[in-house]
Amino acid sequence: MAKDKTSPSKRKKLNSDVSEVHEEEIMDTKVKKKKKKMEVEEAPVQIVSITADDTKLKKEKKHKKKQKTEQIEEAPVQVVTITAEDKKQKKEKKHKKKEQTEQSEIPDPPNELEGEEDLSPEQKRVMERKMKKVMKKEEKKRIKAEGETVPKTEAASGPTGPQQALLYLTCWSENRAEWKFQKIRQTWLLQHMFDSEQVADEKFSVLLEYLEGLQGAAKDTTVKKAMALVEESGQAPEDKDVQQRAHRAREVIQLLS
């Protein structure tokens, strides 16, 4: 291993130079930090100054906002009450408006003098039918407005349910060839045959003949009903209507038993 031939004086001098360089670097670093710190301290600070006017304006805004909130809270609630008279007036206005609309939709009557020769007989009949419908509709409205009832035509009225049931029984008795079984008519007869006001005595005699062919559930139900009427008559011996129904019930029981 080779020995370091550098003299002690030279080595001492070299070490001294390295130390000086190191110290200079440390000093430079310290100087830079101090300079930076001074720059930060010397930077101008922006100070926002709040004057008395600014404080006053802020208080006024806050006060106005508070007053507005109190006014809203204290404002009276307007309650709108709708009386029966108001409802009636509103309904009348609506009805009048509807009538005006319907009247505006009604076509004007054809002028027979203008263009009559251009219409064919069929077109004339169609026009007449339309006008009749319009006039009939107006007449119904007028009658309804006056509080009258629209009279029913005799042609529209037919025999009622009781009348049809009695006609059914008469057809069975007098014209058996054209007679056809109708359950609904038979049901009505079985339900009302004990009432002399619904089924007269002469019709009840025919009905007894009709009952001779009764079978099944209809027969059982009729017998039960007749027995109930007989039991009821025992509780009301002075009631003529009850006794009359019981009399017919006994005849039915005798026939079907």
Side-chain angles (χ1 to χ4, degrees), residues 173-184:
S173 176
E174 299 177 358
N175 194 356
R176 194 72 60 89
E178 295 183 4
W179 174 84
K180 290 182 180 179
F181 174 74
Q182 296 181 32
K183 186 176 181 179
I184 188 170

Side-chain angles (χ1 to χ4, degrees), residues 13-28:
K13 187 178 181 180
L14 183 62
N15 292 333
S16 176
D17 293 337
V18 172
S19 298
E20 288 177 0
V21 171
H22 185 64
E23 287 177 0
E24 287 179 359
E25 290 177 353
I26 292 171
M27 288 296 293
D28 290 340

Side-chain angles (χ1 to χ4, degrees), residues 10-45:
K10 288 182 179 180
R11 286 199 297 272
K12 188 176 181 181
K13 187 178 181 180
L14 183 62
N15 292 333
S16 176
D17 293 337
V18 172
S19 298
E20 288 177 0
V21 171
H22 185 64
E23 287 177 0
E24 287 179 359
E25 290 177 353
I26 292 171
M27 288 296 293
D28 290 340
T29 304
K30 288 182 178 180
V31 170
K32 287 180 180 179
K33 286 182 179 181
K34 188 174 182 181
K35 189 176 181 181
K36 191 173 182 181
K37 185 177 180 182
M38 291 176 66
E39 288 177 355
V40 172
E41 291 176 352
E42 291 176 358
V45 179

